[in-house]
Amino acid sequence: MTPLVARSAHEAHLYMDLQPCGCGQGRFPRGATVLTLPDGELARRYAGPCEGCGTTREFLFRLPAGPVEVEQGFRYGGTEPSRLIDAGEWLWVAENHARGVPAGVAGLPEADRRRCRLRLTAAVAALDEVVKFVPPGGARVPFTAVWTALGRSVYQREPGRFRAGRLAAVRSAYAGVLRRLD
C-alpha cells in the first residue's frame, strides 16, 4: 500500500470519511499504529471494520519528516492546497457542516450552541481550504482543482460558488454567526 500524504490528522480523518466502503458506508471505528516504511520514514496506519458490512478498511499516511507548526485555532492543513481532498469536496464539507446550524442561534441551549460552534469552525476551516486552490492573482478556483466525482458534481452544479469573492462572502457570513455564538 502506497502511503498518502496528509497535512494533518484532521485532514487524514476527513479523507477516510470521504472514501466510502464498497457497501457505501463512509465512517468506521479506526485504530492507529505508527510504523516504519521501507525508506525509513514513519507512517500512521488506520484500520478497522466497516460499520456497514464488517470489511476491514485500511489507510496509510506518511508522517511529516519534521515538526509541524501548530497554528492557533482549527485547521485542516498548512498554506499549500491539499493533495488528498479536492476543492469541490472541501466546499461540500463546508456546506454540510453549515447546513447543520439552524438559522436562529441566539436562543439555543448551551449544548446546542457548542455543537453549532464546532460545525461552523469546521465549515470556516473547509472554506479556507477551498480558497487555497485559487491561483495567485486569480478570481476563482479552476476546474482543474477538482479531480473526484464528488468534487466535479459540486463544481458543475454551480461553478459560481467557486469565485474567490463569493467564497470570502460565505466565509464572512459563517464567521459572523460563529461570533454570535460566543
Side-chain angles (χ1 to χ4, degrees), residues 97-174:
H97 280 301
R99 202 174 290 125
V101 177
V105 295
L108 291 175
E110 183 52 37
D112 291 339
R113 293 169 69 82
R114 189 172 29 258
R115 181 187 54 78
C116 289
R117 278 192 293 273
L118 291 171
R119 292 187 76 87
L120 284 172
T121 298
V124 168
L127 280 175
D128 289 343
E129 292 300 325
V130 179
V131 172
K132 292 175 187 176
F133 288 95
V134 176
R140 67 180 309 113
V141 173
F143 187 68
T144 54
V146 293
W147 56 81
T148 64
L150 173 59
R152 285 189 299 274
S153 72
V154 170
Y155 196 99
Q156 290 170 337
R157 191 171 37 244
E158 192 180 340
R161 292 184 296 170
F162 290 86
R163 292 191 322 259
R166 186 161 172 188
L167 291 165
V170 171
R171 186 194 189 283
S172 178
Y174 291 173

Side-chain angles (χ1 to χ4, degrees), residues 48-102:
C50 172
E51 290 180 343
C53 67
T55 300
T56 298
R57 312 261 337 265
E58 183 178 353
F59 293 86
L60 184 65
F61 295 94
R62 185 178 292 275
L63 293 177
V68 176
E69 279 190 40
V70 178
E71 295 180 24
Q72 188 170 354
F74 179 82
R75 300 284 181 265
Y76 283 107
T79 57
E80 72 286 348
S82 176
R83 296 189 309 185
L84 290 177
I85 301 171
D86 73 23
E89 289 174 309
W90 283 117
L91 187 56
W92 182 86
V93 167
E95 290 172 346
N96 275 323
H97 280 301
R99 202 174 290 125
V101 177

